[in-house]
């Protein structure tokens, strides 16, 4: 048997077995907790917290300014194994999102908006 063909077949078999063993998390949703959607924060050292989901090995956390539709600044794009993170942010509007990942699958992103405004701290509507 051709050596390249053998490597290709072994690779396909390995990937297929890995997907069978991993839990499919594509239809699950990460619940974002802090900061709440639509809130104005009076602190620039912002804590991010979300609820974990079964089958996830890690979480992709992204933060942009001002939003994902027309981002001006990618503040953070990281893969972490915890369900919390802390980041210092300048004043302004931000969107943050999280998705769950394992070696075979990933969930959709859940996205929230918030503002860092040291003069105010309250929930506002979009």
């Amino acid at each position: 048997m051709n050596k390249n063909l053998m490597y290709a077949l072994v690779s396909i078999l390995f990937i297929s077995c890995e997907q069978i063993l991993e839990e499919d998390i594509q239809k699950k949703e990460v619940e974002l907790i802090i900061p709440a959607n639509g809130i104005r924060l009076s602190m620039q050292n912002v804590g991010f917290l979300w609820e974990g989901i079964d089958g996830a090995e890690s979480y992709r956390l992204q933060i942009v300014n001002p939003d994902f539709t027309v981002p001006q600044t990618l503040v953070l794009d990281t893969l972490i194994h915890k369900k919390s993170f802390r980041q210092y942010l300048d004043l302004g509007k931000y969107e943050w999102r999280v998705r769950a990942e394992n070696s075979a699958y990933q969930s959709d992103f859940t996205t929230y908006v918030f503002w860092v405004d040291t003069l105010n701290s309250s929930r506002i509507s979009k």
Side-chain angles (χ1 to χ4, degrees), residues 3 15 24 28 51 58-59 63 68 113 123:
K3 223 176 193 182
I15 291 169
D24 185 351
K28 295 184 178 184
E51 192 70 40
S58 57
Y59 298 91
I63 306 168
F68 287 102
V113 62
R123 180 179 280 268

Side-chain angles (χ1 to χ4, degrees), residues 9-116:
L9 291 173
V10 168
S11 295
I12 290 170
L13 180 61
F14 177 74
I15 291 169
S16 299
C17 289
E18 188 173 88
Q19 288 179 336
I20 291 170
L21 298 175
E22 284 290 354
E23 184 173 345
D24 185 351
I25 59 173
Q26 294 179 95
K27 295 193 181 349
K28 295 184 178 184
E29 186 176 319
V30 176
E31 181 184 341
L32 305 183
I33 300 171
I34 297 171
N37 198 29
I39 198 163
R40 284 192 182 269
L41 302 173
S42 61
M43 308 180 323
Q44 290 181 266
N45 189 10
V46 179
F48 295 86
L49 178 67
W50 55 92
E51 192 70 40
I53 62 171
D54 291 338
E57 296 169 355
S58 57
Y59 298 91
R60 169 78 51 192
L61 169 62
Q62 297 179 332
I63 306 168
V64 296
N65 170 268
D67 57 52
F68 287 102
T69 305
V70 185
Q72 292 177 2
T73 306
L74 174 62
V75 177
L76 182 74
D77 183 353
T78 188
L79 189 64
I80 58 177
H81 299 283
K82 304 183 301 182
K83 294 173 279 191
S84 64
F85 194 82
R86 186 162 288 281
Q87 178 74 32
Y88 182 86
L89 299 172
D90 292 330
L91 301 181
K93 178 185 176 191
Y94 294 89
E95 281 190 353
W96 71 292
R97 64 187 185 183
V98 177
R99 78 175 176 209
E101 299 185 5
N102 61 32
S103 62
Y105 303 99
Q106 62 191 30
S107 70
D108 287 335
F109 278 105
T110 303
T111 305
Y112 276 5
V113 62
F114 69 97
W115 288 259
V116 175

